[in-house]
Amino acid sequence: LENKTHRTQLEVNLDALQHNLAYFKKDIGPETKLMVMVKAFAYGTGAIEIATLLQNSGVDYLTVAYTDEGVELRKNGIYTPIMVMNPQIEEFAKLIEFSLEPEIFNFELLKALDEYCLYNEQNIKIHIKLDTGMKRLGFESHEIDKLATCLAEMPQLWVVSIMSHLVASENIKHDLFTKNQIAEFKKISAILTHKLSYTPLLHIANSAAIENYPEAKLDMV
């Protein structure tokens, strides 16, 4: 048997990344904020390097999958706001210590965070995820009144944004489904916003929707 070693190298062109970023920023306009995913080590391209470039380019938000990813960015000089998509109950202390903002997608998580903040006399910024048809995570339309009531009784939790995710915005075959998702999001987020004493950012558009569904740009993409 002969041992063979293979070396694979991935080269990331940062100039190309900046070019693409500038293209999308021009397309969405100055009034719409930009949130960029850097989860899973920036999809294997180097989270710290990519996040640093994005921060220096003035993006408004970064998003990671797990708390530890956000902690690593904070420890390496990233001060841009960071949303965590999959926060764990046992990591609430880290979220607060490193100014990370959890995505909240069910009542169990919401209640646990509320109790933690009350007990420890802490405040935290959160992002509310709505399910508009993806059927993966998020509060559904029939839960919005209950959610609004809960949030009104949790002043230590500040809702920075209300969000959802489009299933197939890149596929014209699902145009009606996508438009229904956008309409549903606007409807139920308006109900939730009306119940709050302030106005969170609204965002549902992913990369494909920026060009295919300009009506979905809202406050952030």
Side-chain angles (χ1 to χ4, degrees):
L1 297 176
E2 180 180 342
N3 289 325
K4 292 185 178 180
T5 59
H6 302 272
R7 181 177 180 182
T8 302
Q9 180 172 305
L10 172 67
E11 182 175 305
V12 180
N13 186 327
L14 297 181
D15 288 338
L17 193 155
Q18 284 188 302
H19 174 271
N20 294 343
L21 182 65
Y23 173 86
F24 279 110
K25 288 179 76 171
K26 182 179 179 180
D27 195 19
I28 64 175
E31 301 302 317
T32 302
K33 296 180 183 296
L34 186 62
M35 171 183 275
V36 183
M37 301 291 165
V38 290
K39 61 183 182 179
F41 202 52
Y43 300 97
T45 62
I48 295 167
E49 294 83 359
I50 298 298
T52 299
L53 182 148
L54 294 170
Q55 178 170 271
N56 292 340
S57 299
V59 303
D60 301 283
Y61 259 91
L62 299 173
T63 300
V64 296
Y66 299 105
T67 302
D68 285 345
E69 294 177 272
V71 171
E72 186 69 14
L73 292 179
R74 287 284 186 253
K75 288 182 176 179
N76 284 274
I78 301 301
Y79 52 80
T80 298
I82 298 174
M83 184 181 79
V84 178
M85 298 177 70
N86 297 288
Q88 304 298 310
I89 291 175
E90 60 272 15
E91 296 174 334
F92 287 164
K94 281 186 180 179
L95 291 171
I96 292 172
E97 179 183 356
F98 291 94
S99 298
L100 304 173
E101 303 172 13
E103 175 186 305
I104 305 298
F105 44 79
N106 61 38
F107 285 109
E108 178 186 5
L109 191 58
L110 180 68
K111 182 180 178 182
L113 183 59
D114 173 55
E115 290 176 349
Y116 178 88
C117 289
L118 275 175
Y119 182 80
N120 292 280
E121 298 182 344
Q122 297 283 352
N123 298 316
I124 191 170
K125 295 178 180 179
I126 65 173
H127 300 259
I128 296 294
K129 178 73 169 285
L130 304 181
D131 182 356
T132 56
M134 194 169 192
K135 300 304 177 186
R136 183 188 295 171
L137 294 172
F139 295 95
E140 298 185 19
S141 58
H142 68 273
E143 299 176 307
I144 295 306
D145 286 336
K146 178 183 175 182
L147 175 60
T149 299
C150 289
L151 290 171
E153 297 171 351
M154 300 174 175
Q156 66 281 0
L157 307 185
W158 183 269
V159 181
V160 178
S161 81
I162 303 170
M163 58 183 286
S164 190
H165 191 72
L166 297 174
V167 176
S169 57
E170 72 285 349
N171 193 332
I172 194 65
K173 290 194 305 181
H174 303 297
D175 179 65
L176 180 60
F177 187 88
T178 299
K179 288 180 177 177
N180 285 338
Q181 273 198 276
I182 296 168
E184 176 75 358
F185 178 70
K186 289 180 177 180
K187 182 180 76 173
I188 59 180
S189 63
I191 295 171
L192 188 55
T193 299
H194 180 71
K195 300 273 188 175
L196 297 172
S197 59
Y198 54 93
T199 305
L201 298 171
L202 303 181
H203 55 115
I204 189 173
N206 52 10
S207 299
I210 291 174
E211 294 190 307
N212 295 340
Y213 298 92
E215 71 272 22
K217 291 177 185 177
L218 305 179
D219 300 313
M220 185 159 64
V221 298

